[in-house]
Amino acid sequence: MSPSPHSPTPGSASVTLPSGPSQADLLDFARRTAADASLVASLPLDPQGRTWIRLDGPGGSEAWLIGWPPGTGTGWHDHGGSHGAFATAAGTLREESLAARLPTEGWKTLELAEDLDRSRSVAAGTGRAFGPHHVHEVRNESTTEHTVSVHAYYPPLPLIRRYSRTGAVLRLEQVERPEDWQ
């Protein structure tokens, strides 16, 4: 009997790739963590800018508890090929996203086709997961209340690409690496 194409041949080493948490695992973590009232209450809130605490995410993922003052947001960005999830602990976040897989390299400006825009409200107690090619912006649209949320990414963010958007035109503006966030 000949070996299957998935089994090592005699005398060869078997290579097992590590698998990390799935989108569903990250969403479950984000929801459970967002429901931890004492952790959420420990986040210092600043009326001028976002605040955050780094968390231990599941299976080697990167996770954050983030406070969003009224009117703050992320701007358009992606997560450098990581998949992720976020859940809202208090308040409501608005997510605008694109329903398209964008090329990750070799472009500075893209003209987007019609009907790619998606918008959703992510209220306290709810969350959402996304794949590795997700481009979005997230914001707290409240004019009076902070929002608090939990975010998790796997693999840990290798970079974030930031974009500007004017109508149907998306333009790559900046690439940030982890050392930029320290």
Side-chain angles (χ1 to χ4, degrees):
M1 173 161 55
S2 63
S4 82
H6 302 292
S7 62
T9 57
S12 70
S14 175
V15 176
T16 303
L17 297 175
S19 65
S22 68
Q23 292 175 39
D25 295 333
L26 296 177
L27 181 57
D28 179 62
F29 167 82
R31 285 181 173 151
R32 284 185 292 106
T33 305
D36 182 339
S38 62
L39 176 64
V40 171
S42 74
L43 179 67
L45 300 178
D46 181 331
Q48 302 303 313
R50 290 190 300 154
T51 55
W52 53 86
I53 296 173
R54 180 126 189 201
L55 305 171
D56 291 326
S61 64
E62 179 174 348
W64 301 88
L65 178 66
I66 301 175
W68 307 71
T72 59
T74 61
W76 286 94
H77 68 283
D78 70 23
H79 301 100
S82 296
H83 60 270
F86 66 95
T88 305
T92 299
L93 289 175
R94 166 71 54 194
E95 181 195 33
E96 306 294 335
S97 63
L98 299 175
R101 182 177 173 160
L102 302 181
T104 57
E105 302 291 334
W107 66 275
K108 291 281 187 183
T109 304
L110 286 176
E111 186 171 346
L112 303 170
E114 292 181 23
D115 301 325
L116 293 181
D117 289 297
R118 301 295 182 265
S119 182
R120 70 179 41 85
S121 181
V122 184
T126 65
R128 101 166 228 61
F130 50 86
H133 301 284
H134 190 66
V135 175
H136 69 168
E137 72 171 338
V138 180
R139 62 185 181 276
N140 175 6
E141 292 184 320
S142 173
T143 58
T144 59
E145 301 296 322
H146 264 80
T147 296
V148 177
S149 57
V150 175
H151 302 249
Y153 312 98
Y154 189 85
L157 297 173
L159 57 88
I160 292 178
R161 285 180 283 263
R162 298 208 175 268
Y163 307 97
S164 62
R165 175 133 186 231
T166 305
V169 177
L170 189 69
R171 178 176 192 75
L172 177 64
E173 297 291 343
Q174 181 179 9
V175 177
E176 296 176 2
R177 303 207 180 275
E179 55 271 18
D180 299 327
W181 312 320
Q182 304 304 326

